[in-house]
Amino acid sequence: MKPKFRLIDLPVIHDQRGNLTFIEQSRHIPFDIERVYYLYDVPGGSERGGHAHKTLHQFLVAVAGSFDVHLDDGVNQQSFHLNRSNFGLYLPNMVWRTIDNFSSCSVCLVMASGYYSEADYHRNYEAFRAAVDRSK
Ligand code: T46
């Protein structure tokens, strides 16, 4: 099974005054955006994530600085270094993610397909793997 998570390039309008990137739902990312949040002021050495979502789709962009995203869909494991504002990482549901190696002043912008719901989280890795196995 090929991974469903993937990097997506975003449009860039180059300008002497500075660059501009935009994201249009369903055109640049494969879902409608219902929520936006961002991680910032992350202390060096911190790790975020450590969970998967049952139904939620997300798109992560390093709008400032850089960080690493480690993914596991139960079959494929891959790490990505996000360090530019002109591409992002699409995470469909049922992908375990951890995020670390945040640079100083980094900002992780996240677009999500749904409102926040704790019931949508797998926060236990064994339970996540069991759910992946049941879906095969
Ligand atoms: C993900 C990574 C990239 C809310 O109340 N509303 C929200 O929209 C979010 C995202 C979180 N929260 C609360 C839930 C917890 O009490 O904020 C607290 C911290 O959340 P969490 O520990 O899940 O944060 P991260 O950075 O580990 O994970 C978050 C997202 O939850 C997750 O979906 O993919 O960022």
Side-chain angles (χ1 to χ4, degrees):
M1 183 185 83
K2 281 176 62 178
K4 293 188 183 130
F5 52 78
R6 65 180 188 275
L7 293 174
I8 296 178
D9 287 324
L10 298 168
V12 184
I13 311 293
H14 295 280
D15 192 306
Q16 288 177 343
R17 301 169 296 167
N19 296 337
L20 184 152
T21 282
F22 57 98
I23 303 169
E24 294 175 345
Q25 67 180 21
S26 304
R27 188 171 285 175
H28 301 123
I29 56 176
F31 59 84
D32 289 349
I33 301 163
E34 208 158 51
R35 175 169 52 114
V36 173
Y37 63 93
Y38 31 97
L39 308 175
Y40 60 104
D41 290 348
V42 180
S46 290
E47 183 181 289
R48 309 283 313 209
H51 53 250
H53 284 281
K54 297 173 186 171
T55 63
L56 191 76
H57 293 229
Q58 300 200 103
F59 185 66
L60 280 60
V61 181
V63 289
S66 64
F67 47 84
D68 294 338
V69 187
H70 310 282
L71 302 180
D72 177 358
D73 63 9
V75 177
N76 308 281
Q77 290 83 35
Q78 195 168 349
S79 294
F80 295 88
H81 183 61
L82 300 193
N83 62 350
R84 299 287 300 163
S85 306
N86 62 349
F87 71 92
L89 184 59
Y90 167 58
L91 302 185
N93 61 320
M94 295 303 283
V95 178
W96 190 269
R97 83 289 312 269
T98 54
I99 309 166
D100 62 13
N101 196 26
F102 287 89
S103 68
S104 60
C105 302
S106 57
V107 180
C108 173
L109 177 69
V110 184
M111 280 137 272
S113 63
Y115 296 132
Y116 170 73
S117 166
E118 187 57 36
D120 192 64
Y121 284 74
H122 278 298
R123 292 196 185 267
N124 176 281
Y125 184 74
E126 282 68 38
F128 160 70
R129 286 303 303 261
V132 170
D133 290 343
R134 278 197 302 276
S135 70
K136 280 180 186 166

